[in-house]
Amino acid sequence: MGKEDIEDIKEEGQQDGGQAMLSVEHLVKRFGTETILDDISFRVNPGEVLVIVGPSGCGKSTLLRCINALEDVQGGKILLNGLPVAEGGRKSPSVGTKIGMVFQSYDLFPHLNVIDNITLAPCKVLKKKRFLVEAEARELLKRVGLEGKEKSYPRELSGGQKQRVAIVRAMCMHPEILLLDEITAALDPEMVREVLEVVLDLARQGMTMLIVTHEMSFARAIATKVMMISDGHVVEEGTPEEFFTAPKTARARQFLNTFTYESVR
Amino acid sequence: MNFEVIREYLPLYQEAAVLTVKLGVLGIIFALLIGLACALVQYYKVPVIRRIVAAYIEISRNTPLMIQLFFIYYGLPKIGIRTSPEVCGVAGLAFLGGSYMAEAFRSGLNSVEAIQTESAFSLGMNRVQAFFYVILPQAAATSMPPVVANVIFLLKETSIFSAVSLMDLMFTAKDLMGIYHDTTECLFLLVVFYLIILLPVSILGSLLERRLRYAGFGA
């Protein structure tokens, strides 16, 4: 992509009245002949928390993976601050560490203890001084209630503790946007709560986030915007109030009904 | 058992043991390098080269070291490459060991889940950083037991070196038995010397395995 093209894109973004941090335009993703995401477009502004909901297998996680350049895309554009996130199938250097991601399965490095898990990337990628990163990491660990766990290995932690470490690890890279991919799906209810408290705290600090979740009450509490995807299409988009109290589409109503049990009583 | 004979033979065995260890260690170092290179080619699915590597592994693992040594010792001079028996021994061991080490390293690399690489990428690491800081340490821990087993196996295989007239332990024992017929003493010394070489390796190996296991994970 030439410099002029990039300028064009930047202008386009500004014309649409957006200082959009992330913009996804007509994204198409296929695995072989199967289309997973079909013509997905949306924007995320700084400080916004976009919650993506939808039935399993609808392409939510794939969407996050595309944004994080872990998947190649077959059509459309994904831009962060006006610049494409992927170049030649890999994360582009200009985007580098600006996108952080936490996965559903615990993705901590099992051979490193908590503090080394957190400090590895800031030290090696951002070339920061270890003692500085470590001080920051300790501060953040304290904040998420994991003081004293610095020397523990991932296998010694509960699922909820691991996910909190994973969040701290992502935050120590100071991303501009954080992608959370069903981070509580493998946890039991109490642990879900402790992890979601941490995410709510991040939202209060103004962190821009893209969250895929099945926790509807959490989605409602944290979202500034909700988007529902079904069969690779955006079915509905709106404020949490609109979406949860008065969904416009039949598909969204049907989906939200699966979370209540009044109809089966 | 005649201890006088044993005392007399001891220096010969010592000399042979030094040769065995020297060639064995050299062969194993090359085997490790070849193995790592082959495992990386297969792990990163390098086109074309991975087919060559696969063919090499099959040939190397499915032919006896004796035959491989004969090829190197008698075959190479026919195409104009002349080497010493020592080089042949090391080359043979490296050729055989390379494939075994490749399989050991590959199983280690494959045991590291894809999500590990992805989360390394998500933290901004490039391929090289992800490999050295995240994949390799985990793969090494898994690979350690088979690698140690291979090292012991290759050290034992050096007993074939006598086939290309290298004065190793086996050669010395056979030689002395042929001349003086002190079978009991010669074989006793042979067993003792192999044990002296191999037992420390074995013990060191299990210590290393345990250390890697407890230091990290899975224990």
Side-chain angles (χ1 to χ4, degrees):
Chain A
M1 185 177 282
K3 214 171 183 179
E4 283 169 20
D5 293 327
I6 293 171
E7 291 302 317
D8 281 350
I9 295 161
K10 272 187 175 168
E11 270 169 33
E12 238 174 75
Q14 276 149 12
Q15 275 164 11
D16 285 345
Q19 68 287 30
M21 177 182 272
L22 178 77
S23 74
V24 174
E25 294 165 21
H26 309 292
L27 176 68
V28 177
K29 168 71 193 167
R30 287 188 210 99
F31 284 119
T33 53
E34 203 180 340
T35 304
I36 307 297
L37 297 169
D38 192 6
D39 195 23
I40 303 270
S41 298
F42 65 89
R43 281 159 179 251
V44 180
N45 297 320
E48 267 190 338
V49 177
L50 173 64
V51 172
I52 303 170
V53 298
S56 294
C58 71
K60 309 182 294 283
S61 294
T62 309
L63 175 61
L64 288 198
R65 292 172 59 84
C66 289
I67 293 169
N68 200 20
L70 292 171
E71 303 280 350
D72 53 348
V73 299
Q74 278 66 47
K77 289 180 202 148
I78 304 171
L79 307 171
L80 185 75
N81 300 323
L83 297 169
V85 295
E87 258 170 38
R90 290 193 196 152
K91 214 181 209 178
S92 68
S94 62
V95 170
T97 59
K98 290 178 187 154
I99 300 177
M101 185 162 178
V102 180
F103 298 84
Q104 173 184 345
S105 56
Y106 321 122
D107 55 328
L108 295 182
F109 305 134
H111 61 297
L112 299 177
N113 64 25
V114 167
I115 200 83
D116 289 339
N117 253 287
I118 299 171
T119 54
L120 179 67
C123 290
K124 303 295 180 189
V125 179
L126 302 178
K127 313 282 181 208
K128 283 191 183 172
K129 290 262 181 297
R130 191 185 154 96
F131 75 94
L132 290 175
V133 185
E134 209 174 307
E136 188 190 3
R138 280 177 198 280
E139 188 57 41
L140 283 174
L141 283 174
K142 200 168 148 187
R143 192 161 183 152
V144 301
L146 289 174
E147 207 176 3
K149 293 283 181 194
E150 290 85 356
K151 297 285 170 205
S152 301
Y153 280 91
R155 68 186 147 88
E156 299 162 337
L157 302 177
S158 73
Q161 290 172 331
K162 278 188 239 186
Q163 285 304 53
R164 282 183 280 162
V165 174
I167 293 170
V168 169
R169 186 175 70 171
M171 289 308 294
C172 273
M173 291 299 285
H174 299 281
E176 289 182 15
I177 185 166
L178 190 60
L179 315 178
L180 305 178
D181 184 11
E182 291 192 49
I183 56 167
T184 58
L187 304 178
D188 56 38
E190 281 185 353
M191 292 183 187
V192 169
R193 183 81 204 186
E194 66 186 38
V195 172
L196 296 185
E197 293 282 357
V198 171
V199 182
L200 282 164
D201 192 36
L202 287 179
R204 277 194 289 270
Q205 293 168 49
M207 186 70 207
T208 312
M209 288 186 278
L210 221 73
I211 303 175
V212 167
T213 186
H214 284 297
E215 303 286 334
M216 289 305 142
S217 47
F218 166 69
R220 194 169 177 168
I222 198 168
T224 55
K225 199 160 70 175
V226 180
M227 185 169 85
M228 181 181 161
I229 297 181
S230 181
D231 297 321
H233 296 275
V234 176
V235 175
E236 192 165 333
E237 206 180 336
T239 66
E241 288 71 32
E242 284 167 6
F243 180 80
F244 287 107
T245 51
K248 289 183 284 251
T249 57
R251 182 71 187 92
R253 272 195 296 276
Q254 184 198 358
F255 174 72
L256 288 172
N257 266 337
T258 58
F259 293 93
T260 62
Y261 290 90
E262 273 140 28
S263 56
V264 292
R265 228 187 254 166
Chain B
M1 186 124 56
N2 187 343
F3 285 97
E4 200 51 45
V5 174
I6 289 181
R7 194 174 314 147
E8 206 176 302
Y9 290 169
L10 210 53
L12 291 172
Y13 273 87
Q14 278 171 351
E15 213 173 296
V18 169
L19 183 79
T20 295
V21 170
K22 218 169 15 183
L23 298 186
V25 167
L26 269 177
I28 287 164
I29 289 172
F30 283 116
L32 285 167
L33 293 176
I34 293 171
L36 192 61
C38 291
L40 286 177
V41 165
Q42 295 201 312
Y43 183 69
Y44 286 111
K45 301 191 169 66
V46 183
V48 187
I49 304 177
R50 71 189 269 233
R51 308 262 168 225
I52 299 169
V53 165
Y56 154 67
I57 288 174
E58 288 313 312
I59 292 169
S60 157
R61 289 203 310 166
N62 294 309
T63 50
L65 178 60
M66 175 92 86
I67 310 296
Q68 295 170 4
L69 281 178
F70 280 166
F71 258 88
I72 297 169
Y73 192 62
Y74 297 111
L76 288 187
K78 291 217 191 302
I79 55 166
I81 302 170
R82 268 174 215 290
T83 50
S84 63
E86 283 82 4
V87 173
C88 284
V90 172
L93 209 57
F95 184 82
L96 175 76
S99 61
Y100 279 84
M101 293 300 184
E103 293 294 284
F105 287 132
R106 196 166 63 112
S107 68
L109 288 171
N110 285 343
S111 74
V112 182
E113 288 178 62
I115 185 107
Q116 291 288 317
T117 314
E118 289 177 353
S119 57
F121 286 163
S122 299
L123 289 165
M125 289 186 219
N126 59 34
R127 264 169 191 279
V128 178
Q129 288 169 327
F131 181 76
F132 281 104
Y133 299 129
V134 176
I135 302 169
L136 192 63
Q138 296 184 53
T142 315
S143 295
M144 196 42 76
V147 166
V148 170
N150 287 345
V151 166
I152 293 168
F153 158 73
L154 290 173
L155 279 174
K156 287 193 284 193
E157 285 293 294
T158 56
S159 58
I160 310 276
F161 283 175
S162 55
V164 289
S165 71
L166 276 170
M167 297 271 279
D168 76 326
L169 283 171
M170 193 68 189
F171 188 95
T172 306
K174 281 203 283 195
D175 211 23
L176 289 172
M177 280 191 293
I179 303 168
Y180 304 108
H181 305 291
D182 301 317
T183 319
T184 318
E185 288 78 5
C186 284
L187 290 179
F188 173 72
L189 277 171
L190 186 61
V191 170
V192 168
F193 267 89
Y194 269 117
L195 280 177
I196 291 173
I197 295 171
L198 288 165
L199 272 182
V201 178
S202 181
I203 292 166
L204 204 72
S206 13
L207 283 178
L208 204 63
E209 273 170 39
R210 202 171 312 164
R211 212 186 127 84
L212 273 175
R213 200 159 53 215
Y214 289 124
F217 42 98

